[in-house]
Amino acid sequence: MEDSVDAVVVGGGPNGLVAANLLVDAGWDVLVLEALPTPGGAVRSAELIEPGFRNDVFSAFYPMGALSPWVAGMGLAEHGLRWRHAPAALAHVLPDDRCAVLSRDLAETTSSLAGFAGSDARAWRAEFATWRRIRDDLVGALFDPFPPVRSGAKLLRSLGAADALRFARLATTPAAALGAERFAGEGARLLLAGNALHTDLGPLQAGSGLFGWLLCMAAQDVGFPVPAGGAGELSGALVRRLLHRGGRIDCGRPVARVLTARGRAVGVADGAGGLVRARRAVLADVPAPTLYRRLVGPDALPARLLDDLDAFHWDDATLKVDWNLDGPIPWRNPAAGRAGTVHLGADLTGLADFATRLATGRVPEEPFLVLGQMSTSDPDRSPAGTETAWAYTHLPRGVRWTADDLRRVADRVERTVERHAPGFGALVRGRHVQGPADFERRDPALVEGALNGGSAALHQQLVFRPVPGLGRADTPVDRLYLAGASAHPGGAVHGGPGANAARAALARDGVLGEVYGAVVRGLHGALHR
């Protein structure tokens, strides 16, 4: 079997689908090859436990998708996507059951934080005012290919030189230090630190303050929305849009090799021996180690890039428990019941200890949980009066977890919930446990359950992502582009890496494409010689 298209997209996750849609919009003939039976990557839904209860297999809440100029700009409502919201976006439950609530209603958020320290209501409003002033320019700078010249210049104008310098300091500050500087009470500080731990950054690590601040402001602005009917509806809308505009998707067709000739990507070979010629580009929505070591191979790559790849750092392993419940979770503090996302299990000291133990390869004594109440967010997920919920926690990498090991960790997760919601266990109709190997089996891009496609630490951001280089989608192989989450701007469902790969492919094929290609080749040669 042989085919010829303008572009082959390897992988049908959200980044691959965003890339394919942008290329189709430009008039290209695009074929997406997905190894799994269905597209969507880590954005899928299924009835994991019993009929009538729809569970999100991996990711669930999409604040960055709602902010993303790529996801938001595709008109996905025309293809069936509807966002739903819980009454509150996020609640952090302290060990003593006090609760810090983050709501799209600014008055509700500030009232909750004032319960910890009266001055924090004013302080939070000041942070949100800064966010509203710079939001569009900051989002552009975060998502654009590196360096973000135009959006970066706009951000600098919005902030002014003095505030830009202070914002750069915020971007490198640990969440614990940032919280202590900006807020007097424990509630706001925990919202920052807990949101930072949606990455692999603990509250004492440089850069965690920016991630915590960004997610806090996103939650205040657009909430933590979910797709009506399940996470898979977001992928479904991207697929329907692509097919409507003439793109194609072949599922159950893994790619075995990216084909190169004279330093250029010319197509792919699938696992059954079929060939697809790519006249203009190959875009790979796969982890960087997978692309370079398995699909391209060392013979076609600079030795120094392969040496740098040995130092690529994955983010933490993950365990996730899904539950179908006979009713809403009976929180001791009712405020937690209004939130779609709940942080559970630790104060600031506990969060720091959790992150430190993971960083040193030890299982945390007390799990920090990110918990989702999905029927609270979207009643269509389960029969009236019931709830679908999940919680995930992180584990050390490189450990072989037996079924008994995973069961014991899942039991600890349930005990943590029960401690704050007595009677929770009696509501459980059934549960489904996924360990690190289960994540990787269901989606090979989630290596040991690495949810962010590689560490979010400063040493692996911008020009260091995935290895020291240009910080762009372009690879040392001409017309081959890295479109997955291990490329800048990294993990979360926002389509940024896919969009950047599509934009690079369009630039390489444009009027000044030969100049663009020569510059990129020269820079790669200088960086990897």
Side-chain angles (χ1 to χ4, degrees):
M1 181 170 56
E2 188 167 349
D3 202 352
S4 179
V5 293
D6 289 325
V8 177
V9 178
V10 182
N15 281 306
L17 294 173
V18 165
N21 270 282
L22 291 176
L23 293 177
V24 166
D25 289 350
W28 287 29
D29 179 20
V30 180
L31 174 62
V32 178
L33 299 181
E34 169 56 53
L36 298 172
T38 57
V43 185
R44 286 187 275 153
S45 304
E47 293 178 336
L48 292 175
I49 302 168
E50 61 180 307
F53 289 76
R54 194 149 186 82
N55 312 101
D56 291 336
V57 182
F58 306 111
S59 60
F61 293 91
Y62 302 111
M64 300 308 292
L67 282 177
S68 167
W70 306 113
V71 175
M74 285 194 173
L76 296 180
E78 299 175 12
H79 300 278
L81 177 65
R82 291 183 299 123
W83 292 117
R84 305 291 291 270
H85 293 268
L90 172 67
H92 191 115
V93 181
L94 279 73
D96 60 5
D97 285 318
R98 287 179 299 156
C99 194
V101 174
L102 208 175
S103 166
R104 286 184 298 157
D105 182 342
L106 184 59
E108 182 178 3
T109 303
T110 55
S111 175
S112 175
L113 299 184
F116 292 86
S119 62
D120 282 353
R122 183 177 68 255
W124 188 272
R125 288 181 183 274
E127 296 299 329
F128 191 54
T130 298
W131 165 259
R132 286 187 292 189
R133 177 160 59 99
I134 67 173
R135 168 192 152 156
D136 291 344
D137 297 333
L138 176 61
V139 169
L142 290 173
F143 287 139
D144 279 355
F146 190 83
V149 177
R150 185 176 302 175
S151 54
K154 290 180 178 178
L155 180 60
L156 180 60
R157 285 197 299 271
S158 297
L159 285 167
D163 284 347
L165 190 61
R166 287 164 176 79
F167 191 81
R169 179 181 180 276
L170 179 154
T172 61
T173 301
L178 183 66
E181 291 174 3
R182 303 290 173 94
F183 303 106
E186 195 173 9
R189 296 176 180 182
L190 281 170
L191 290 179
L192 282 174
N195 273 307
L197 271 167
H198 285 228
T199 68
D200 62 324
L201 298 182
L204 304 181
Q205 288 181 263
S208 58
L210 176 62
F211 283 97
W213 187 87
L214 180 63
L215 278 181
C216 281
M217 295 302 104
Q220 185 64 74
D221 188 358
V222 300
F224 276 18
V226 306
E233 290 303 307
L234 173 54
S235 297
L238 286 166
V239 168
R240 290 188 290 271
R241 185 187 190 278
L242 178 64
L243 298 178
H244 177 73
R245 291 175 177 256
R248 291 181 288 155
I249 303 177
D250 279 0
C251 291
R253 190 177 177 186
V255 169
R257 190 81 172 167
V258 171
L259 305 176
T260 63
R262 296 185 297 277
R264 170 181 169 172
V266 295
V268 300
D270 66 25
L275 303 178
V276 181
R277 178 189 174 200
R279 295 186 292 267
R280 294 176 165 180
V282 176
L283 295 82
D285 178 13
V286 300
T290 301
L291 174 62
Y292 290 133
R293 293 201 180 281
R294 186 168 68 80
L295 298 185
V296 177
D299 292 344
L301 294 167
R304 195 163 192 184
L305 181 146
L306 297 171
D307 290 342
D308 288 337
L309 200 61
D310 289 337
F312 179 80
H313 288 177
W314 293 102
D315 42 310
D316 299 317
T318 304
L319 175 136
K320 179 172 179 277
V321 187
D322 285 272
W323 299 284
N324 291 348
L325 305 173
D326 279 325
I329 298 175
W331 299 103
R332 187 176 281 119
N333 187 331
R338 303 182 67 254
T341 303
V342 181
H343 293 167
L344 196 65
D347 57 11
L348 191 58
T349 300
L351 294 181
D353 181 67
F354 176 83
T356 299
R357 292 184 72 89
L358 287 174
T360 53
R362 296 175 293 163
V363 178
E365 292 181 359
E366 289 294 332
F368 167 65
L369 307 183
V370 178
L371 182 147
Q373 301 183 107
M374 303 314 298
S375 300
T376 297
S377 304
D378 174 18
D380 295 341
R381 303 295 182 93
S382 66
T386 65
E387 179 75 77
T388 58
W390 53 261
Y392 77 74
T393 191
H394 288 305
L395 298 170
R397 295 187 62 82
V399 177
R400 288 192 175 185
W401 301 94
T402 68
D404 285 343
D405 293 334
L406 297 177
R407 177 184 53 77
R408 284 191 289 270
V409 176
D411 290 345
R412 290 174 60 202
V413 167
E414 289 193 349
R415 287 195 296 270
T416 300
V417 180
E418 181 82 25
R419 190 160 62 242
H420 297 278
F424 165 77
L427 294 175
V428 175
R429 301 166 59 99
R431 78 177 186 184
H432 179 268
V433 179
Q434 292 186 88
D438 301 310
F439 274 90
E440 188 171 350
R441 187 180 69 255
R442 289 191 168 95
D443 183 350
L446 302 176
V447 179
E448 290 190 57
L451 304 181
N452 283 294
S455 176
L458 286 179
H459 67 269
Q460 202 160 278
Q461 294 294 334
L462 303 176
V463 295
F464 309 121
R465 190 172 188 91
V467 296
L470 302 180
R472 301 175 64 87
D474 308 88
T475 73
V477 178
D478 189 25
R479 296 183 183 265
L480 173 64
Y481 306 93
L482 180 61
S486 55
H488 173 75
V493 179
H494 46 60
N500 287 344
R503 294 168 73 183
L506 292 170
R508 176 65 181 88
D509 201 66
V511 174
L512 298 177
E514 290 304 318
V515 174
Y516 179 94
V519 170
V520 169
R521 286 194 299 275
L523 290 172
H524 277 300
L527 289 168
H528 299 302
R529 69 163 58 101

